[in-house]
Amino acid sequence: MPKHVTMLLTCLGLLLIGTVYCLTRPPVFACESQFSLTQSINSDNIQAEGLIFVHRMDEQLLVNIDGLLTHNEKKYLISRTLKMKYETYNADAYLYKIMSVKTIRDNTDNVDDEIANNLLFGKGPSDKIIFIKKINKDVILFGNHAFPQYGCKRN
């Protein structure tokens, strides 16, 4: 009989721990949105438009970007997924330091990596700093360290 009680208490304890973990874990945020971006710095001009998908959970960010890009009158197709891990850099300013980036490019993607990375991270220090701010439960803003460039609303 004591073995049954011990087993029942162990099962109840594990169930309680699992419930607490599920209820206290930050929720997953996923959204899809159209984007349009124009960037002109000195004589370097970039225009991009397309569709962006964002999936954020814990300290991971998955960004899929598909669209058309024009860089100094040359036209490109961009179709890539970036899986990033980040940590807090400056919580008050909603800035996060990218610790790792894994990029998966579609065969149709013909954009130079430096140009594509500048769309998300901007030109700046060698450390990749990204802005991520959840406005409410349905909207997220993100972009480079200077300002948010993209907004995405949960469907």
Side-chain angles (χ1 to χ4, degrees):
M1 186 70 166
K3 288 183 180 180
H4 294 308
V5 172
T6 304
M7 183 67 115
L8 179 64
L9 289 176
T10 302
C11 289
L12 287 174
L14 289 173
L15 183 63
L16 180 64
I17 289 170
T19 303
V20 168
Y21 174 75
C22 288
L23 294 176
T24 59
R25 191 173 145 198
V28 171
F29 184 90
C31 64
E32 186 176 54
S33 181
Q34 291 183 340
F35 75 92
S36 180
L37 177 73
T38 301
Q39 190 176 56
S40 184
I41 301 172
N42 299 326
S43 62
D44 193 35
N45 300 308
I46 296 177
Q47 290 181 310
E49 61 181 45
L51 196 62
I52 195 162
F53 170 82
V54 178
H55 184 275
R56 181 184 183 198
M57 187 174 95
D58 299 327
E59 292 188 341
Q60 293 186 12
L61 187 68
L62 182 79
V63 177
N64 179 275
I65 187 166
D66 286 300
L68 303 172
L69 183 139
T70 303
H71 179 245
N72 294 333
E73 305 300 322
K74 292 182 183 176
K75 298 189 183 306
Y76 301 95
L77 290 173
I78 186 166
S79 182
R80 60 182 62 200
T81 301
L82 293 97
K83 183 179 179 182
M84 297 172 263
K85 291 185 180 182
Y86 62 88
E87 65 181 27
T88 302
Y89 180 75
N90 182 340
D92 294 334
Y94 307 100
L95 296 176
Y96 300 88
K97 182 177 181 179
I98 301 298
M99 303 309 292
S100 67
V101 179
K102 181 179 178 184
T103 303
I104 302 167
R105 296 172 60 151
D106 187 77
N107 292 338
T108 60
D109 187 316
N110 61 353
V111 178
D112 180 77
D113 285 338
E114 185 178 344
I115 296 168
N117 287 339
N118 287 341
L119 283 178
L120 188 57
F121 304 115
K123 294 181 179 179
S126 59
D127 290 339
K128 291 183 169 98
I129 306 296
I130 191 168
F131 174 93
I132 305 171
K133 182 177 181 182
K134 192 171 178 183
I135 301 298
N136 57 41
K137 66 180 183 132
D138 291 327
V139 178
I140 191 170
L141 298 176
F142 65 100
N144 63 33
H145 62 282
F147 58 92
Q149 296 164 293
Y150 305 97
C152 198
K153 185 175 181 182
R154 189 187 311 236
N155 295 341

